[in-house]
Amino acid sequence: MKTIPHRLYLTEEQMPKQWFNLRSAMPQQPDPLIHPGTLQPLGVDDLAPIFCTELARQELDGSTPYVDIPSEVLEVYKMYRPSPLIRAYALEKALGTPAKIYYKFEGNNTSGSHKLNSAVAQAYYAKQQGLSGVTTETGAGQWGTALSEACSYFGLTCDVYMVKCSYEQKPFRKAVMGVFDAAVTPSPSNTTQAGRKILAENPDTTGSLGCAISEAVEAAVQSGGTKRYVLGSVLNQVLLHQSIIGLESKLAMEELGEYPDVVVGCAGGGSNLGGLIAPFMADKLTGKKDVRIVAVEPASCPSFTRGKYAYDFCDTGKVTPLARMYTLGSGFIPSANHAGGLRYHGMSPILSKLYHDGHMEAVSYKQTQVFEAAILFAKRETILPAPESAHAIKGAIDEALKCKETGEAKTILFGLTGTGYFDMTAYESYLSGRMSDYVPTDADLQKGFDSLPNIPQNQGI
Ligand SMILES: Cc1ncc(COP(=O)(O)O)c(C=O)c1O
């Protein structure tokens, strides 16, 4: 019998040279981004004042199956990719499950998460376009860290609007971004019109990704054309870049003679999950394989499991185009969950469409359940996971425990998106028993739904 190693590293030559566009395999395309005023689908020219032109093209291209990864981007990828596929032997043993658990570990780069995969691509296209810099938001700080590194590498400025509660709770994240010369502003701030408006309405707000996006978009649009806004999740272009995770995973599993029965990933805006599942979902949609796909989200911010499939703004200040997605309403401000990267009101339009059409499932967990899983994983597998990633761990553990009940030896693949070394306040809060589980009531959620745009496309939702 073939011995399956603990860690499988593909060689540099095996690293994919193209990204895969999952939309090209979808029988039904996600609904288009529309202009909030005209309600008409947006073209590249409409998006060009906000996004880099090549990224705007990628955003709107639903048909090209494979996109060449520029050689300059590949050069950076080679510094930290291919990332390992790891068999969780010790976790399997601790659970007493017949299931085989694999995880794709994206935390082995200096940014500590999968976010670098898209940051490098986006910074590269900005540089190619001759821009001086980019603006962005960051929640937990991982995206801001990754983008700062990528911008520093390509010689661009990087203005990061960081959700205020993370800015205050994670000074070291801010310091890392400082090492890479990023300018970090706590959001909401007084530096933008959107920030001032949010502060006037809610002076004590600890911020949200939605608020920070409004500020970053405004800063780019006000730059006189020298900067563009970049986003680390949600968008089609980001899922395209993140497909490298799934492509490598599939190749590595093939080397082992394996194929997953279930793929599990955490879902904030959907970028790691969309990237991880891309080739597997394509196999499922084209009838080649039958694989279950499970999204895991926090019970405190349950976009898939309790949200509505509607057209909504991607930000709180309502300055972005409208996307059709599972959303809690752009006015929904999630409670201060420790998995900051999952505190977003919306979800990738691609994943939203797939979920709506019944091609994938979603579950939610309370944060204490997630930290319990994180600590079991850390003790068995010796990696301290990011709280966001721990949602996927919890989902995978529950799948493995189901196998223990049924006696099935299923193959489970999950995405371990990052490490949690900057999240020690959260771990401390769990270990001291101070961590609480806040789950919004239906009335809380209704306040968010009341903020959905009142447009014909949203009638009857
Ligand atoms: C480590 C990690 N995992 C997951 C996420 C969730 O984002 P996404 O759903 O776009 O993968 C984040 C977001 O910041 C993150 O930092």
Side-chain angles (χ1 to χ4, degrees), residues 6-49:
H6 282 73
R7 286 178 173 239
L8 192 119
Y9 285 93
L10 298 172
T11 64
E12 205 170 285
E13 290 68 42
Q14 286 175 301
M15 193 175 73
K17 309 286 181 292
Q18 294 180 309
W19 292 302
F20 173 59
N21 185 0
L22 176 54
R23 280 168 293 169
S24 67
M26 287 170 67
Q28 312 260 330
Q29 287 291 297
D31 289 285
L33 285 174
I34 60 174
H35 187 285
T38 64
L39 304 184
Q40 291 305 308
L42 293 167
V44 172
D45 290 347
D46 301 306
L47 294 179

Side-chain angles (χ1 to χ4, degrees), residues 243-266:
S243 67
I244 187 104
I245 305 174
L247 294 168
E248 281 184 9
S249 302
K250 190 171 173 212
L251 206 62
M253 292 200 87
E254 276 167 7
E255 292 235 326
L256 300 172
E258 294 275 26
Y259 194 92
D261 296 299
V262 193
V263 182
V264 182
C266 66

Side-chain angles (χ1 to χ4, degrees), residues 113-115 142 232-233 266-273 341-342 386 388-389 417-418:
S113 83
H114 67 295
K115 298 280 173 179
Q142 285 94 328
S233 187
C266 66
S271 75
N272 85 85
L273 181 64
L342 306 184
E388 291 84 359
S389 323
T417 50

Side-chain angles (χ1 to χ4, degrees), residues 94-393:
L95 297 173
T97 177
K100 290 183 270 182
I101 307 176
Y102 290 92
Y103 56 97
K104 180 73 165 159
F105 181 40
E106 290 292 319
N108 60 341
N109 65 70
T110 44
S111 79
S113 83
H114 67 295
K115 298 280 173 179
L116 195 57
N117 300 329
S118 186
V120 172
Q122 298 200 45
Y124 165 77
Y125 288 119
K127 186 69 183 177
Q128 279 297 99
Q129 198 173 321
L131 300 172
S132 65
V134 293
T135 70
T136 199
E137 74 296 323
T138 194
Q142 285 94 328
W143 166 247
T145 306
L147 188 69
S148 308
E149 290 181 14
C151 284
S152 164
Y153 182 85
F154 285 111
L156 294 163
T157 64
C158 184
D159 301 330
V160 182
Y161 289 86
M162 184 169 186
V163 175
K164 198 184 274 171
C165 60
S166 299
Y167 184 91
E168 284 160 3
Q169 277 170 11
K170 298 191 188 185
F172 294 136
R173 274 270 170 220
K174 199 173 47 190
V176 177
M177 289 185 259
V179 165
F180 293 99
D181 299 327
V184 188
T185 308
S187 168
S189 74
N190 277 316
T191 65
T192 64
Q193 213 178 331
R196 287 190 290 274
K197 184 160 179 276
I198 293 163
L199 282 174
E201 283 162 12
N202 197 349
D204 297 326
T205 180
T206 50
S208 71
L209 273 176
C211 297
I213 293 173
S214 305
E215 295 208 271
V217 171
E218 185 182 322
V221 172
Q222 300 294 327
S223 72
T226 59
K227 297 180 185 177
R228 292 292 184 281
Y229 165 68
V230 297
L231 175 61
S233 187
V234 186
L235 297 173
N236 302 334
Q237 55 187 277
V238 184
L239 269 70
L240 174 76
H241 307 147
Q242 295 294 358
S243 67
I244 187 104
I245 305 174
L247 294 168
E248 281 184 9
S249 302
K250 190 171 173 212
L251 206 62
M253 292 200 87
E254 276 167 7
E255 292 235 326
L256 300 172
E258 294 275 26
Y259 194 92
D261 296 299
V262 193
V263 182
V264 182
C266 66
S271 75
N272 85 85
L273 181 64
L276 175 68
I277 67 171
F280 302 108
M281 178 60 90
D283 283 352
K284 183 183 170 91
L285 293 174
T286 51
K288 283 190 202 140
K289 292 279 184 185
D290 190 18
V291 50
R292 280 178 54 226
I293 310 280
V294 183
V296 187
E297 60 184 15
S300 61
C301 193
S303 334
F304 269 136
T305 50
R306 294 174 71 195
K308 289 197 190 296
Y309 189 46
Y311 263 107
D312 197 10
F313 289 96
C314 302
D315 67 321
T316 310
K318 304 189 175 182
V319 300
T320 63
L322 296 175
R324 190 163 186 216
M325 57 186 176
Y326 274 86
T327 176
L328 298 166
S330 64
F332 178 78
I333 304 256
S335 71
N337 183 295
H338 287 291
L342 306 184
R343 292 178 74 227
Y344 180 62
H345 66 274
M347 185 52 65
S348 140
I350 295 177
L351 295 188
S352 294
K353 177 71 179 160
L354 290 166
Y355 181 68
H356 195 66
D357 291 349
H359 300 299
M360 54 184 277
E361 307 160 35
V363 288
S364 72
Y365 293 110
K366 295 179 187 162
Q367 61 176 348
T368 50
Q369 296 177 292
V370 169
F371 274 83
E372 188 188 356
I375 285 174
L376 171 63
F377 181 83
K379 285 179 175 163
R380 294 294 89 208
E381 296 292 320
T382 74
I383 296 173
L384 187 78
E388 291 84 359
S389 323
H391 285 72
I393 296 173

Side-chain angles (χ1 to χ4, degrees), residues 367-440:
Q367 61 176 348
T368 50
Q369 296 177 292
V370 169
F371 274 83
E372 188 188 356
I375 285 174
L376 171 63
F377 181 83
K379 285 179 175 163
R380 294 294 89 208
E381 296 292 320
T382 74
I383 296 173
L384 187 78
E388 291 84 359
S389 323
H391 285 72
I393 296 173
K394 171 66 179 158
I397 287 178
D398 278 8
E399 289 295 329
L401 291 176
K402 276 188 227 159
C403 289
K404 186 175 176 176
E405 267 172 37
T406 61
E408 290 168 289
K410 286 192 181 164
T411 302
I412 299 165
L413 167 67
F414 75 89
L416 188 70
T417 50
T419 48
Y421 302 110
F422 288 108
D423 296 282
M424 297 325 293
T425 318
Y427 275 96
E428 220 170 51
S429 143
Y430 175 77
L431 292 170
S432 65
R434 278 181 287 114
M435 181 177 279
S436 61
D437 284 321
Y438 179 75
V439 180

